[in-house]
Amino acid sequence: MPKLRLCFTVVSEALRGERFSFDGDKPITIGRTSDNMLPLDHRSVSRRHARIEVDDSGCVLVDLGSHNGTRVGDRLISKHPLNSGDRIGLGEILVDFTIVDDEAATEGVGGAGLPVVAAPPAQAGALARPMSVQDLFTLPEPTAPVEPAKARRNLWPAIYAMGLVLVIVLGVAAFLAVGERSPRTPRWDEMLSANESKPVDLSRLFVPEEGRWTRGLSRVERIGTPTDPQVAVAKGTLFRSMVTVVGKSPGITDITVYGPPLGQGVIRVVVRGVKPPPAGADTTGMTVDERREQGHKLLHEAYTLVPDPRVPSVHSWWAAKKLDLAARLLEPLPRELANATRASQNAHAMRQALDARFEKLAHEIDILRERGDYTKALTYALELKNLFPDPESEQHHIINRFYEGLDEEATRMERQAQEKR
């Protein structure tokens, strides 16, 4: 079998005239670095650009994932069979490829002792004899300018710019949604006595410097630990924007609350003095008959006001208090123990019914408030006020404070709607 030699001639302006020749019995690596068999030191050529594989069927050019690509003629390839006379494009470098038959070279023409090169297919009709290697090297230079290969676009700067723009847009949108925040942490100041509970409406915040009310926390998501838990603590209520502050002992403490849209705020609690305990029924000095008579009177009044303890009404709160007092009066009397126990159970059932109604109405008010239906929300809030008329009860203070804030909010929204019209 004749032995083949693979010849390469650089025809690009850069590296013009460089020539390479290899035996066709092993693969040939092409790249920018010197450790390749065919080194082309040019910035458009990758370190490992391409490889020529030789087998019985011929030569095959394989691209090795180069940055600027590999071409045969004008065609971008990944794997392509080579013929003698093909022009290979490696980035911006063009190389002519020829196959030399060593056996034909020994019989060759030209008397120069050089091997004969088989004529390229494109020149077969123009040449009357086979082309020798010497003829190949003396061919005139190509007159047409060599067009450099188009470099791939680097899209990363555009991607980074689009990401930066997206972050800025999202930041502006978040700022507009939350609104401008006060440079200082918002604070609510409350004053109460020890043994006293006081509701705090966090949905509104008074700004002393501007003399106006502004938006506070739409809902309380978490209550932090007070700086001094011995002075006061806070607990949540059924109204999402309100908490109840409970005084313990005289002093000052800060309680952090968290929720949108402000993120967080601080309730500064000042506890002064001690609230006297609520006055209960003075049962000292009463005879057995007086206890029995007073207890039965209270039972009659309570059951007249609320026949069914499981159905809440505007009289349930007072009826429960009467039943509690009747139970305390009758409990020491052996024959009245059953009446005392039943009175205590019915008082508990009345309070459970009131709490269930309180929770349901509070939930409905929150929904109506979000919808902007303040008329119906105020109607439910007024019903709650009537269910808890006792000024000594914690619910009474919470509902009154909430009703006042809801009424002001409804008035403000109505005024804004009129201004728009």
Side-chain angles (χ1 to χ4, degrees):
M1 180 176 178
K3 187 175 182 181
L4 300 179
R5 290 189 66 79
L6 310 182
C7 300
F8 303 85
T9 304
V10 180
V11 297
S12 296
E13 187 66 27
L15 309 179
R16 182 189 296 276
E18 289 193 10
R19 302 179 180 89
F20 305 88
S21 177
F22 306 94
D23 291 333
D25 57 354
K26 57 183 177 181
I28 301 169
T29 58
I30 307 173
R32 188 176 70 248
T33 55
S34 59
D35 56 345
N36 291 281
M37 296 177 65
L38 201 164
L40 297 173
D41 188 11
H42 192 269
R43 65 180 184 278
S44 65
V45 180
S46 300
R47 295 182 59 189
R48 295 288 184 272
H49 199 106
R51 182 176 67 248
I52 296 177
E53 298 175 351
V54 183
D55 54 24
D56 294 337
S57 61
C59 300
V60 178
L61 177 63
V62 180
D63 182 80
L64 299 180
S66 61
H67 183 70
N68 291 320
T70 302
R71 303 181 308 283
V72 175
D74 295 328
R75 182 178 174 187
L76 191 66
I77 62 96
S78 59
K79 187 174 183 180
H80 191 275
L82 288 176
N83 296 313
S84 183
D86 282 344
R87 177 161 288 182
I88 303 171
L90 304 159
E92 298 177 9
I93 303 300
L94 296 179
V95 179
D96 280 344
F97 168 76
T98 57
I99 301 176
V100 178
D101 187 343
D102 279 351
E103 182 177 344
T106 59
E107 305 170 357
V109 181
L114 295 174
V116 177
V117 180
Q123 299 173 347
L127 298 177
R129 62 179 178 81
M131 181 181 293
S132 67
V133 176
Q134 183 178 5
D135 294 334
L136 176 66
F137 290 159
T138 57
L139 285 175
E141 300 293 341
T143 57
V146 178
E147 295 183 1
K150 293 183 179 179
R152 295 182 182 177
R153 290 184 177 180
N154 187 1
L155 300 179
W156 284 111
I159 295 174
Y160 290 145
M162 291 178 63
L164 181 61
V165 171
L166 180 62
V167 170
I168 293 174
V169 170
L170 292 177
V172 172
F175 176 81
L176 294 178
V178 172
E180 185 177 0
R181 296 188 179 182
S182 172
R184 296 180 301 173
T185 302
R187 195 180 80 189
W188 290 261
D189 293 324
E190 295 296 333
M191 185 179 299
L192 68 162
S193 303
N195 302 327
E196 180 183 5
S197 298
K198 186 176 183 181
V200 182
D201 185 1
L202 303 179
S203 64
R204 300 182 305 141
L205 178 65
F206 186 72
V207 183
E209 296 82 1
E210 302 176 7
R212 65 178 181 87
W213 292 90
T214 185
R215 180 172 54 173
L217 303 182
S218 60
R219 67 177 182 272
V220 178
E221 295 180 341
R222 185 162 60 90
I223 301 174
T225 304
T227 54
D228 189 348
Q230 301 301 320
V231 174
V233 294
K235 57 184 181 179
T237 70
L238 290 178
F239 297 109
R240 295 182 299 174
S241 62
M242 298 185 67
V243 299
T244 298
V245 179
V246 182
K248 291 186 174 182
S249 61
I252 299 176
T253 186
D254 288 343
I255 304 173
T256 306
V257 287
Y258 302 89
L262 300 181
Q264 73 175 43
V266 173
I267 306 174
R268 174 154 293 178
V269 184
V270 180
V271 179
R272 294 182 176 177
V274 179
K275 181 181 178 181
D282 186 10
T283 59
T284 58
M286 296 181 66
T287 63
V288 172
D289 292 336
E290 290 174 342
R291 281 176 172 271
R292 182 180 294 107
E293 181 182 356
Q294 183 66 19
H296 282 280
K297 180 182 177 181
L298 291 171
L299 290 176
H300 176 72
E301 292 175 354
Y303 293 137
T304 302
L305 290 172
V306 182
D308 188 351
R310 297 167 297 179
V311 179
S313 72
V314 294
H315 304 295
S316 296
W317 184 265
W318 296 116
K321 292 196 71 172
K322 290 178 180 293
L323 290 176
D324 284 338
L325 182 56
R328 288 201 300 271
L329 288 170
L330 298 177
E331 189 175 10
L333 307 180
R335 295 183 180 181
E336 299 294 339
L337 183 59
N339 287 330
T341 302
R342 186 163 54 252
S344 180
Q345 291 174 347
N346 287 334
H348 181 69
M350 289 180 184
R351 289 193 174 91
Q352 281 188 324
L354 285 172
D355 289 342
R357 184 61 178 166
F358 178 86
E359 186 171 353
K360 182 178 180 180
L361 289 177
H363 180 68
E364 292 292 334
I365 290 171
D366 278 337
I367 296 175
L368 293 170
R369 188 181 185 184
E370 291 177 355
R371 293 177 181 172
D373 190 354
Y374 290 98
T375 303
K376 197 168 184 179
L378 284 170
T379 302
Y380 284 169
L382 184 60
E383 181 182 345
L384 280 178
K385 286 182 65 175
N386 294 331
L387 287 177
F388 297 91
D390 186 4
E392 297 294 330
S393 68
E394 178 182 342
Q395 292 92 332
H396 177 82
H397 292 290
I398 293 175
I399 295 167
N400 274 357
R401 181 68 66 89
F402 180 79
Y403 183 86
E404 292 170 2
L406 187 63
D407 189 32
E408 290 181 8
E409 185 177 349
T411 304
R412 184 173 64 255
M413 297 299 292
E414 184 179 357
R415 184 170 60 252
Q416 291 177 358
Q418 290 176 354
E419 291 174 355
K420 290 181 180 180
R421 289 197 294 266

